[in-house]
Amino acid sequence: MTWWRKLKTNRLAQLGAVLLIVLYTVALGADFFAPYSPYATQANGSLLPPTQIYWRDAETGRFFPHVYPTTQGPVDLETGNRELIVDRSQPSALRILHRNDAGQLKLLDTTGPGYLNLLGTDEQARDQFSRLIHGSRVSLAVGLIGIIISFPLGLLVGGIAGYFGGMVDAVLMRFVEVLMTIPSIYLLVALAAVLPAGLSSIQRFFLIVLITSLVGWAGLARVIRGQVLSIKEQDFVQASRVMGGRPLYIITRHVLPQTATYGIIAATLAIPGFILAEAVLSFIGLGIQQPDASWGNMLTLATNASILVLQPWLVWPPAILIVVTSLAFNLLGDGLRDALDPRTLKQ
């Protein structure tokens, strides 16, 4: 049975793959799927609950999906509550594949003064659903870019240590072990805290990716080193050495490709760690800064107890998406591990 057929029989791995395809598709098409700009604010619209959609016309009863303009009224000095003001005189129809006033094509939008806030608005009166979609670009990209940086480094260091052995192996592995003894989260916080002030979100994003990548390769290097110790004794490696192949050529051409199976599996299982690292850094204020959005800095609202209790729609969506993304990568990684198991492929 080929690995592809084995993977197709694993329903959980397929579920993980489908979830990831959907998440990355939405992230790539954020401008299309998000109804509004993540920076746009609405007048008197802070902390609005999710917009209620009305499906039929109030007078005729015909099918007419629409919303009404909704704003926050003044604060009641006695109770501290703010009354929602719904203007029912201006129904705003829902439109699919509609071009807004700026000429942008939107999957779902409204015509008229009413806003469609599927997940409500935040303290700055910005649409939470739009920020969630645009924030996915940062949170999902950090894992892929981190893997692209860290895994070649881990493969090369592990390959060199395992192939040469001796003093080279001892020095490299001691360095790897020292790096592995440092708790990653504390190292991330310490490194992120010394970032110079005034960095843009793009600059801060790439620095976070670089930091997480430099601390994420040690475990892979150690495992690859163990595999290379066995692979370098194989006949095809010995033949290449006898024919005059240079060590770096033998490592990159003959040895490391034999570890590709493990590398693919480890990559899918390691990506959630990069996503969680970005979320933690942004959550504690050392990552992506407002007004730019990421799932991590959207979770900073959870530190406000009143928002956590009174406006839970601001906190749960990014938290759930982080969990779902991590679970999807783990399901896919477990499926690949089972499908690429040499004992399974021989059956």
Side-chain angles (χ1 to χ4, degrees):
M1 181 181 292
T2 64
W3 71 271
W4 176 246
R5 291 181 180 178
K6 180 67 176 178
L7 186 63
K8 288 197 297 183
T9 61
N10 191 323
R11 300 300 181 188
L12 291 178
Q14 291 181 27
L15 175 62
V18 170
L19 288 174
L20 292 175
I21 291 173
V22 171
L23 288 170
Y24 278 95
T25 299
V26 172
L28 290 173
D31 292 326
F32 170 69
F33 291 102
Y36 308 108
S37 166
Y39 309 107
T41 60
Q42 304 173 20
N44 298 322
S46 64
L47 297 179
L48 289 173
T51 303
Q52 181 178 353
I53 300 176
Y54 299 85
W55 299 101
R56 295 190 178 276
D57 187 274
E59 297 181 357
T60 64
R62 65 184 179 88
F63 183 72
F64 177 58
H66 62 283
V67 298
Y68 294 111
T70 305
T71 57
Q72 289 277 21
V75 178
D76 190 324
L77 298 180
E78 295 183 359
T79 64
N81 297 325
R82 296 179 68 184
E83 180 183 1
L84 288 179
I85 300 176
V86 180
D87 185 1
R88 298 185 180 274
S89 65
Q90 302 186 72
S92 301
L94 299 184
R95 291 290 183 266
I96 299 177
L97 300 177
H98 173 252
R99 289 195 178 275
N100 58 17
D101 295 338
Q104 297 176 319
L105 182 63
K106 298 293 183 180
L107 175 63
L108 187 62
D109 199 358
T110 60
T111 58
Y115 287 93
L116 179 63
N117 305 126
L118 294 176
L119 295 176
T121 60
D122 62 7
E123 292 176 307
Q124 304 300 321
R126 298 171 299 201
D127 180 55
Q128 185 76 350
F129 181 70
S130 298
R131 290 181 60 77
L132 193 70
I133 291 179
H134 282 275
S136 67
R137 287 181 166 178
V138 172
S139 298
L140 294 177
V142 69
L144 294 181
I145 298 177
I147 288 297
I148 292 173
I149 296 175
S150 67
F151 265 57
L153 183 60
L155 289 171
L156 189 59
V157 171
I160 291 174
Y163 182 82
F164 288 103
M167 183 59 68
V168 174
D169 181 25
V171 171
L172 290 178
M173 285 301 102
R174 297 299 81 77
F175 175 72
V176 166
E177 290 169 1
V178 169
L179 194 59
M180 292 179 66
T181 59
I182 303 175
S184 355
I185 184 60
Y186 297 116
L187 180 60
L188 287 171
V189 171
L191 292 175
V194 299
L195 294 179
L199 293 177
S200 67
S201 289
I202 296 297
Q203 293 172 326
R204 187 174 290 270
F205 168 75
F206 282 108
L207 284 175
I208 289 174
V209 172
L210 183 61
I211 291 171
T212 54
S213 301
L214 291 179
V215 300
W217 60 269
L220 175 67
R222 191 170 184 176
V223 176
I224 294 299
R225 176 253 185 189
Q227 292 187 343
V228 171
L229 287 174
S230 174
I231 295 172
K232 73 177 184 178
E233 302 300 331
Q234 299 294 321
D235 292 341
F236 65 90
V237 176
Q238 297 296 333
S240 180
R241 185 181 302 164
V242 171
M243 294 175 65
R246 296 182 179 181
L248 185 60
Y249 172 82
I250 296 175
I251 293 172
T252 57
R253 180 65 178 83
H254 297 294
V255 177
L256 290 183
Q258 300 299 314
T259 66
T261 297
Y262 175 80
I264 294 172
I265 297 169
T268 57
L269 296 176
I271 289 176
F274 289 96
I275 295 175
L276 292 174
E278 183 278 327
V280 170
L281 289 176
S282 296
F283 177 76
I284 62 179
L286 298 175
I288 305 301
Q289 303 294 308
Q290 297 286 354
D292 297 298
S294 78
W295 291 346
N297 69 13
M298 292 177 71
L299 281 175
T300 56
L301 294 173
T303 58
N304 189 328
S306 62
I307 288 181
L308 190 60
V309 175
L310 300 177
Q311 289 89 23
W313 59 82
L314 298 178
V315 177
W316 285 110
I320 291 174
L321 283 178
I322 291 174
V323 172
V324 169
T325 303
S326 300
L327 179 61
F329 272 112
N330 283 307
L331 291 176
L332 180 59
D334 288 339
L336 288 173
R337 180 175 56 194
D338 295 338
L340 295 172
D341 187 345
R343 291 170 297 181
T344 302
L345 295 177
K346 291 178 181 180
Q347 296 177 358

